[in-house]
Amino acid sequence: MSPTRYLLARWILPINSPPVENGCLVIGQNKIEKIITRQEYEALEIRGKLESSKDYGDAVILPGLVNLHTHLDYSALKHFDTASPFFGWIRGLIGNSWQWTAEQWQDSALIGAREIALSGTSCVVDSSYSGAAAYGIARMGLRGIVGLEIFGIAEEKADQAWQLWQAKYEAFHNNADEHVRRAFAESRLLITVAPHTPYSVCPALMKKTLEWSREKGLPLLLHIAESEMECKWIAGPEPDVDKFLLEATREDVPGGIASLSWRGHGLTPVEHLAKYELLADNILAAHLVKVSDSDLELLRQYKLSGAHCPRSNSRLRNGVAPFPKLAGSGMEMGFGTDSSASTDDLNVLQEACFAWDLHRAVNPEFNFTSEQALYYLTLGAAKAAGLACEIGSLQSGKLADIAVFDLSSLPEIARSKPSDSLLYGPRRLRDLYVNGAMIVQEGQLVANSPLPV
Ligand SMILES: [Zn+2]
């Protein structure tokens, strides 16, 4: 039997081209073949047509969503602390998880991966301390890029830290279980490097991660300019961050933190990275809250991509990132929810909805549309992650990562505006396909799902 399947719906949103009303998405084994109209579908005379068709009726079919910044490792720490200032919160995060076993990390990551799938997200870009995020993504049947985190502030120890990370990378591959191996075999999972931040990774070590990622053709995942404290510490002395770094990295810095020669030059985090030639077009930067216009010019010049995480930035009191300027400058951008420890949920549509309301509140001139939000949730994010050749739009030859949302419970005025309805809700996910395989069916994880629904 031909693997061709026909998915019909009131709306198909290819993203790279205008919406198709009453359309039919034709998919093969794991790739998109084409979009035809319902009339063209009805005129098809082929054997087994009905058995290989699904008519979603009043629904919208679009590319699976992309969440550009998560830490699935911490999914079990939902709402663990919503009150502390940023560095107190990070301390709490470490304090609550540092003794977890490998199994606990995996369970936590799986909770997040399940939430990701049930929100219509097919692809996740994750920075992972333990590596368990890759397990969650693989086991849930999702697509993902996982950056194994690296820290190290002492330049003298950069070689050593890099060797340790490479050993961690090797061990990750050697110890991969059947789910991770299968995700590799299906090209659903990439493992890369995630130097944590400009203040927790010294330039010598950052350089090694950048060279390695560029050699491998992988994105490098990095938090940049997330908090005021980060900016202060990079520019000059900031004892609270000193204290935090000593505690968090447990690194023995020869001469003490005050002796670090690579900070204290009065620069912004972006200027600091530029000074050490650490800006490059394969960097996917999360947050970008504290960026000046001249920082923005550097980001644009070196073609970095960005993940906008407005709910986490708000909860952690870090401010409002200049998303309209970043996106308006031509940077490839998408949304990231960050971890469950700093946001209500891992639903990236909710992130976009919050972003649009927030930017309207702080700038009445903000005039981005719901169609643009969907772009940043799909094709824009795929470009930012370096995956736009494979995913992000419903185009012939791209992989069949597809989300289907129900519109039937909405009034006709909402059903006639699918982008608005998706952005502002209420939304109900019906099906989610990754690589042509259905992983959510009628709002439920498919059989053999690892966690109870
Ligand atoms: Zn983060």
Side-chain angles (χ1 to χ4, degrees), residues 21 47 58 82-83 97 102 123 144 178-179 234 237 264 275 300 330 354 379 431:
E21 189 164 8
R47 199 185 292 175
D58 256 323
T82 58
S97 58
C123 180
E178 58 179 305
H179 304 288
I234 291 284
K275 172 184 160 85
R300 193 195 58 76
F354 179 88
L379 188 54
D431 291 354

Side-chain angles (χ1 to χ4, degrees), residues 69 71 223 287 338:
H69 184 61
H71 299 269
H223 300 79
H287 300 288
D338 217 341

Side-chain angles (χ1 to χ4, degrees), residues 199-348:
Y199 63 88
S200 53
V201 179
C202 63
L205 182 53
M206 190 85 79
K207 185 129 217 134
K208 290 177 190 298
T209 66
L210 185 58
E211 283 168 1
W212 180 89
S213 62
R214 292 182 73 74
E215 247 169 53
K216 297 253 183 195
L218 290 166
L220 177 145
L221 313 183
L222 175 61
H223 300 79
I224 302 181
E226 183 176 3
S227 70
E228 189 63 38
M229 296 284 268
E230 170 184 343
C231 298
K232 283 185 179 169
W233 190 88
I234 291 284
E238 179 49 61
D240 279 354
V241 181
D242 286 356
K243 191 163 163 262
F244 163 76
L245 286 172
L246 285 175
E247 280 171 19
T249 64
R250 292 192 211 104
E251 203 170 340
D252 176 24
V253 183
I257 288 207
S259 72
L260 295 177
S261 62
W262 53 270
R263 59 109 182 229
H265 300 291
L267 302 175
T268 66
V270 174
E271 288 167 346
H272 161 79
L273 292 169
K275 172 184 160 85
Y276 289 97
E277 299 180 339
L278 296 168
L279 293 177
D281 63 5
N282 67 320
I283 296 178
L284 173 49
H287 300 288
L288 297 173
V289 180
K290 309 289 179 187
V291 290
S292 64
D293 284 351
S294 58
D295 287 338
L296 205 141
E297 180 51 30
L298 283 168
L299 295 168
R300 193 195 58 76
Q301 188 186 331
Y302 286 95
K303 296 188 165 58
L304 276 77
S305 304
H308 184 37
C309 313
R311 289 188 299 173
S312 173
N313 297 336
S314 299
R315 180 157 297 170
L316 300 177
R317 299 176 171 82
N318 284 329
V320 179
F323 172 81
K325 280 188 179 177
L326 293 163
S329 76
M331 274 180 73
E332 305 296 357
M333 297 289 297
F335 300 101
T337 56
D338 217 341
S339 81
S340 296
S342 61
T343 193
D344 286 347
D345 56 59
L346 301 178
N347 186 337
V348 77

Side-chain angles (χ1 to χ4, degrees), residues 84-102:
S84 296
F86 187 54
F87 280 91
W89 174 86
I90 306 183
R91 274 194 193 92
L93 193 69
I94 296 168
N96 273 280
S97 58
W98 74 279
Q99 285 185 310
W100 282 0
T101 63

